[in-house]
Amino acid sequence: MAQALEGIKVVDFSWVLAGPALTRYLADFGAEVVLVESSGHPDIMRTSYPFRDDEPGLNRSTLWANFHSNKYGIALDLDTAEGIDVAKRLVSRADIVVENFIPGTMDRWGIGYGELAKVKPDLIMVSISLYGQTGPYARRGGWGSFAEGMSGFWNLIGWSDRGPSSYQSVIGDALVPFFGLNAVLAALDFRRRTGKGQQIDLSQLDVCSYLLAPLLQDYLVNGVEASRSSNRSPGSSPHGVFPCAGDDEWLAIAVMNDDEWQSFCAAIGAPEWRDDPRFRTFAARKSNEDELERLIDARTATWSADRLMYVLQKAGVPSGALRNGRTMNSDPQLQHREMFSWNEHPEIGQVSSFGTPFRLPLTPPTSRTAAPCLGEHTEWVCTQLLGMSSEEFIDLLNKGVFE
Amino acid sequence: MLQDHRALDLTDGEGQLCGRILGDLGVDVIRVERPGGDDSRRVGPFHKNVVHPEKSLWWYTLNANKRGITLDLTKRDGRDLFKRLVKGADFVIESYGIGRMVEMGLGYDVLREVDRGVILTSITPFGQTGPYQGFKATELTILALGGFLYGIGDRDRPPVKPNYPLAKIASAVHAVGGTLLADQYRHATGEGQHVDVSSQAGVPWFTQNAIYWWQTEHRLLLRSGRAFVRRPDLDARAIWPCKDGHVLFQIHGGVVGITSNKAMARWMAEEGFGDERFHGFDWDRLDLAKTSQEELAALEDVVAPFLMSKTTEELAAGAEQRKILLGRIDGIRSLSKNPQLASRDLWTSVEHRELGASLTYPSYFFRSSEVSCGIRRRAPLIGEHNDEVYGEIGLSKEEILAYSQAGVI
């Protein structure tokens, strides 16, 4: 099968989440991605849970493995002149460089955009950061959550009568790579037409703020500041998450109009609610929403979430069972989309990689190899991709450059 | 950057962000609405709270950098005109339900006959095929089936949603990537394809740690109030109340985390917070792989009153000075005053002559050393570019008028 990014070469200096996810997509669609790491300062995700057999080890994190399948891995000590030289040789044959260190780090090594553009004038370099390459916060360290918090995203999550809620996930770190993909693909097109490369300065704070713009406008123009809204919705009732039979099983239900309300009452076995003056109209349901939700809670609690979802869907009522870490693996629709592909990893056996949200029938993503062990392809990359002689390779190896 | 590309945008709701991003990247995006204007114009909030199809704030944001025409695709003449537009276009993006384009006689096969290079991108809740094909969906049910909702909220209540259409917005961002990947292939071969975007399939990208905990250890990550689940049996407090709001802080492991913990403990000592036991704690010994919930909670209980004694501003400033890993949780209002965003000129003022006002927009989602991706035009009024766009495909003024009187345009 053809590959959308056939022939595109990427040097990947990235770590943690936002950079690695971007290069994963590039690799999935056929780009050759060489991941540059160091054993002195391994990616903190390599040392993050969960580990195969609950046994920590640099090559044992399955979450790390997910973000690095289809890549080649080379270990390189960028604190040595020879290491920098090898890095530049890799870049000289590449189209794209991706990095997400604290701004200034690549410059300190002498491999900032200015230096790399000397080696490869039409290079596309993607620099991802929390706050951007410029500005007073540029060199602040921190986690992705800090940009989400500063942008106002976090203030929108949770119950309106309680403080912001945590979520066992990421928002900015999951969105930024896709914005990066969009920018880098546009940059490839720009290069095709003009012959010019560029540096792409992509920040989580910018991206989160970009997405929240209508909410900011609402505040600036109307004086309304969006905040947490619990599970209700101004245009829909009932609209919420209801308990189902079993332990911690839930069903999301969103009744969008009176027709759906009629169908909902019949399907859930409470036809008497249809003409109950407390619930008959949208306005009535809104003013008696507490009571309505209590009654629904009592009904849904006797159903399995999946069973009730299918019954309501058959009646034309929007509903969805809450999937979790376990049931995302068995969701029939996600299975139909082939969301997981499995590869054999030399140290931890079968590991899965998570698929892309879009399907391209002529150029589907491919799953070729599991994530590399640290430095797994060092010799192959140096001798095969860079054409280094065995003598030179051994010499550099003895000098500790590949650590 | 994508000059020389044209997109016909038939999306609605959050799907409109796909065309907006393409527009930011330089594509000539033509938003095709039904005569009288699309329903997406009826989504609030509205400018000055006046409910009016030309005053929706979401409409403004999601349709900036597009031109706008009206066209009735349910009429034969409308479909013929649409096909003429497809001839000069690279992308058609749509978010109708499954099969609607085919019903209108504008399925991928038909568009491909018009132009074999055309890329049709369809955004739907679950994708074009599969067991949920006939399902009705809303933002809430997509977040549920995508696995995001389960992890948010308190254990004494049901899971709770964000007050933001995250799943559908993310899906529009994904759709751009799918479209541009197909475009790479098209430049190599001349072949277009039908890009099939699933909103549900985009959601688990936000919550992969839950998937991998299950696949690896058969453990579930439960929602945990204001804590972050470090391990299935260890909640680490992540959101802390302070004097005037909330801040983000965690007692961390690892080299970086332990340095931050120590700096926090020093700051607390300077200000007389914490007991002997807390200050005698050997931070270098902290290993969150082994720490028990009780041990961690005992440390957190000592930190809490210190954070409570200060404002967000004081904590953020002190943390910055002392290299403590602490973040702020700001409200939406702070965006317009954020010094970092100001120094990067994120916000720009765009004139809306019809409102007699200027509105604040983000001028880019990334900065480039070569190209500016700013706002070139505000969102179109209903049919604002009919004359211009239909003129470009060779319609005379008289023909445009005739189509207009026939209710096609």
Side-chain angles (χ1 to χ4, degrees):
Chain A
M1 204 59 116
Q3 305 250 275
L5 297 177
E6 187 145 2
I8 298 292
K9 299 185 182 74
V10 182
V11 184
D12 183 4
F13 292 96
S14 71
W15 64 321
V16 199
L17 286 174
L22 167 57
T23 50
R24 229 295 294 286
Y25 313 141
L26 297 173
D28 286 359
F29 285 94
E32 170 206 287
V33 177
V34 176
L35 173 67
V36 179
E37 299 183 90
S38 107
S39 50
H41 305 278
D43 183 349
I44 54 170
M45 289 290 290
R46 274 196 180 273
T47 54
S48 290
Y49 284 102
F51 300 108
R52 174 71 74 226
D53 306 324
D54 205 15
E55 189 188 309
L58 283 175
N59 300 317
R60 303 190 66 83
S61 165
T62 54
L63 183 57
W64 186 89
N66 168 47
F67 284 101
H68 294 277
S69 51
N70 284 342
K71 301 180 189 177
Y72 302 107
I74 166 171
L76 209 51
D77 182 354
L78 296 174
D79 290 326
T80 63
E82 292 89 344
I84 293 299
D85 178 59
V86 173
K88 284 184 174 173
R89 281 152 79 178
L90 277 169
V91 172
S92 70
R93 61 182 286 287
D95 304 280
I96 298 165
V97 163
V98 178
E99 61 95 6
N100 62 338
F101 294 111
I102 291 177
T105 306
M106 294 289 278
D107 287 319
R108 216 167 44 242
W109 275 320
I111 48 174
Y113 176 64
E115 287 301 312
L116 293 183
K118 285 181 197 160
V119 176
K120 179 76 165 104
D122 63 353
L123 180 71
I124 296 164
M125 177 153 165
V126 186
S127 294
I128 301 173
S129 58
L130 266 186
Y131 304 114
Q133 300 295 311
T134 63
Y137 301 172
R139 300 203 174 191
R140 282 191 188 178
W143 313 110
S145 57
F146 291 8
E148 292 158 12
M150 187 180 280
S151 71
F153 242 120
W154 216 315
N155 214 30
L156 302 173
I157 296 179
W159 296 96
S160 42
D161 62 339
R162 292 183 179 173
S165 261
S166 177
Y167 38 96
Q168 308 314 324
S169 27
V170 293
I171 292 180
D173 272 324
L175 285 167
V176 161
F178 281 99
F179 275 100
L181 178 67
N182 300 344
V184 86
L185 293 170
L188 281 173
D189 188 74
F190 182 76
R191 190 189 66 168
R192 184 176 56 79
R193 279 179 296 104
T194 64
K196 285 183 182 165
Q198 61 186 287
Q199 184 180 25
I200 289 165
D201 166 6
L202 182 67
S203 98
Q204 286 216 29
L205 181 63
D206 288 347
V207 162
C208 289
S209 306
Y210 175 91
L211 292 175
L212 292 168
L215 279 51
L216 175 62
Q217 280 186 355
D218 194 23
Y219 172 70
L220 293 175
V221 175
N222 300 324
V224 178
E225 187 178 32
S227 182
R228 293 173 294 287
S229 62
S230 304
N231 276 333
R232 291 180 185 173
S233 163
S236 159
S237 177
H239 187 279
V241 175
F242 300 92
C244 293
D247 183 23
D248 215 23
E249 298 284 335
W250 306 89
L251 184 68
I253 300 171
V255 172
M256 304 306 285
N257 54 48
D258 286 342
D259 284 349
E260 288 180 4
W261 168 247
Q262 299 278 324
S263 312
F264 171 74
C265 296
I268 204 167
E272 67 278 13
W273 293 351
R274 285 195 290 210
D275 295 318
D276 188 320
R278 292 172 301 172
F279 311 129
R280 196 167 49 210
T281 62
F282 173 69
R285 290 196 293 282
K286 268 290 170 201
S287 33
N288 297 302
E289 212 158 12
D290 285 342
E291 204 174 347
L292 176 59
E293 287 174 0
R294 267 197 304 276
L295 288 172
I296 297 174
D297 279 350
R299 292 271 169 175
T300 54
T302 64
W303 289 78
S304 103
D306 263 68
R307 174 91 189 104
L308 183 54
M309 171 175 78
Y310 281 103
V311 166
L312 291 181
Q313 286 288 355
K314 204 170 168 210
V317 178
S319 57
L322 270 71
R323 299 293 179 227
N324 58 31
R326 173 173 60 86
T327 49
M328 268 187 279
N329 288 280
S330 54
D331 179 87
Q333 183 67 24
L334 293 177
Q335 281 184 347
H336 173 79
R337 303 275 299 186
E338 295 171 340
M339 288 309 289
F340 295 101
S341 43
W342 296 79
N343 283 296
E344 184 70 17
H345 181 283
E347 200 170 320
I348 54 175
Q350 285 284 308
V351 280
S352 84
S353 312
F354 193 77
T356 45
F358 38 76
R359 279 182 152 183
L360 301 179
L362 296 185
T363 52
T366 50
S367 178
R368 305 179 297 273
T369 54
C373 294
L374 211 163
E376 182 177 338
H377 305 103
T378 303
E379 184 177 354
W380 184 84
V381 166
C382 288
T383 57
Q384 302 305 306
L385 297 186
L386 295 182
M388 202 179 269
S389 67
S390 308
E391 293 74 29
E392 190 188 2
F393 178 77
I394 290 163
D395 178 45
L396 291 175
L397 185 68
N398 289 336
K399 284 179 177 160
V401 171
F402 302 121
E403 282 172 10
Chain B
M1 291 208 277
L2 289 162
Q3 279 76 12
D4 308 333
H5 285 72
R6 175 175 287 181
L8 303 175
D9 183 352
L10 303 174
T11 59
D12 66 352
E14 290 80 9
Q16 298 172 111
L17 179 64
C18 173
R20 163 70 201 274
I21 294 171
L22 290 172
D24 289 357
L25 293 170
V27 174
D28 174 21
V29 181
I30 300 172
R31 180 72 175 81
V32 183
E33 298 181 72
R34 64 174 165 74
D38 270 2
D39 286 344
S40 300
R41 293 178 173 275
R42 294 168 209 284
V43 176
F46 295 90
H47 187 255
K48 304 272 188 201
N49 294 316
V50 177
V51 179
H52 186 279
E54 298 289 13
K55 293 183 189 245
S56 158
L57 298 180
W58 278 96
W59 173 269
Y60 291 159
T61 301
L62 298 179
N63 291 291
N65 279 342
K66 301 179 188 176
R67 298 194 285 171
I69 62 171
T70 50
L71 185 59
D72 188 347
L73 295 174
T74 65
K75 291 195 164 81
R76 190 198 190 93
D77 284 344
R79 290 194 290 272
D80 288 344
L81 280 181
F82 186 76
K83 287 183 201 164
R84 282 170 73 175
L85 287 165
V86 168
K87 271 203 183 91
D90 303 273
F91 314 132
V92 175
I93 50 182
E94 61 97 8
S95 56
Y96 292 114
I98 297 166
R100 182 77 187 113
M101 290 291 278
V102 174
E103 260 168 51
M104 291 193 297
L106 296 171
Y108 174 67
D109 295 342
V110 175
L111 302 184
R112 190 187 144 78
E113 253 170 60
V114 177
D115 180 348
R116 81 176 175 104
V118 77
I119 292 160
L120 172 63
T121 299
S122 297
I123 308 170
T124 52
F126 304 106
Q128 297 290 307
T129 59
Y132 295 171
Q133 198 178 11
F135 274 24
K136 278 194 181 173
T138 70
E139 174 70 22
L140 185 73
T141 66
I142 297 169
L143 280 180
L145 284 165
F148 188 75
L149 269 188
Y150 184 82
I152 320 172
D154 300 285
R155 288 186 191 154
D156 63 340
R157 290 188 185 175
V160 63
K161 71 172 172 60
N163 185 16
Y164 185 83
L166 188 63
K168 291 191 171 189
I169 283 288
S171 197
V173 179
H174 300 153
V176 178
T179 306
L180 295 182
L181 281 165
D183 194 42
Q184 288 290 320
Y185 183 67
R186 188 184 63 129
H187 282 301
T189 62
E191 293 288 333
Q193 54 187 311
H194 185 184
V195 179
D196 171 12
V197 185
S198 155
S199 303
Q200 182 207 15
V203 175
W205 276 100
F206 293 103
T207 183
Q208 301 205 16
N209 49 349
I211 297 171
Y212 284 91
W213 268 105
W214 180 263
Q215 284 189 1
T216 313
E217 289 287 317
H218 281 239
R219 302 287 296 264
L220 283 179
L221 298 188
L222 303 178
R223 62 192 180 285
S224 57
R226 269 137 291 281
F228 183 76
V229 183
R230 305 285 316 183
R231 304 190 314 254
D233 56 355
L234 184 72
D235 290 355
R237 245 173 263 182
I239 302 175
W240 306 64
C242 64
K243 214 178 197 173
D244 62 343
H246 293 86
V247 291
L248 297 163
F249 174 74
Q250 280 185 56
I251 292 177
H252 273 293
V255 182
V256 181
I258 285 170
T259 310
S260 167
N261 301 342
K262 285 181 182 169
M264 178 62 88
R266 266 198 306 279
W267 189 11
M268 288 170 59
E270 282 165 30
E271 307 227 352
F273 280 84
D275 50 17
E276 251 175 61
R277 215 174 121 231
F278 180 82
H279 289 298
F281 184 77
D282 180 3
W283 292 102
D284 294 310
R285 206 175 48 80
L286 180 70
D287 179 0
L288 289 183
K290 299 194 184 100
T291 309
S292 72
Q293 186 72 70
E294 293 67 36
E295 216 179 333
L296 184 63
L299 293 168
E300 290 170 338
D301 285 343
V302 183
V303 176
F306 174 68
L307 297 178
M308 199 60 206
S309 75
K310 297 200 175 303
T311 63
T312 305
E313 208 55 58
E314 289 163 351
L315 288 170
E320 170 69 6
Q321 214 182 353
R322 295 171 171 81
K323 306 263 181 242
I324 296 168
L325 288 167
L326 181 141
R328 44 195 305 157
I329 294 185
D330 285 323
I332 295 293
R333 72 174 71 197
S334 70
L335 281 174
S336 60
K337 297 202 186 73
N338 184 301
Q340 175 68 6
L341 297 175
S343 102
R344 287 167 65 76
D345 295 321
L346 180 78
W347 304 113
T348 185
S349 182
V350 176
E351 194 188 358
H352 282 247
R353 209 168 293 165
E354 75 289 352
L355 296 174
S358 291
L359 298 181
T360 301
Y361 286 83
S363 54
Y364 61 84
F365 66 84
F366 71 99
R367 286 169 53 130
S368 155
S369 58
E370 277 297 317
V371 195
S372 156
C373 289
I375 294 195
R376 302 185 301 285
R377 56 170 88 236
R378 58 139 175 76
L381 306 174
I382 298 169
E384 184 174 353
H385 304 97
N386 279 351
D387 288 350
E388 193 177 302
V389 170
Y390 290 119
E392 285 166 15
I393 57 166
L395 261 62
S396 67
K397 283 221 159 57
E398 294 71 32
E399 285 174 298
I400 295 174
L401 188 66
Y403 279 125
S404 182
Q405 280 164 349
V408 174
I409 292 180

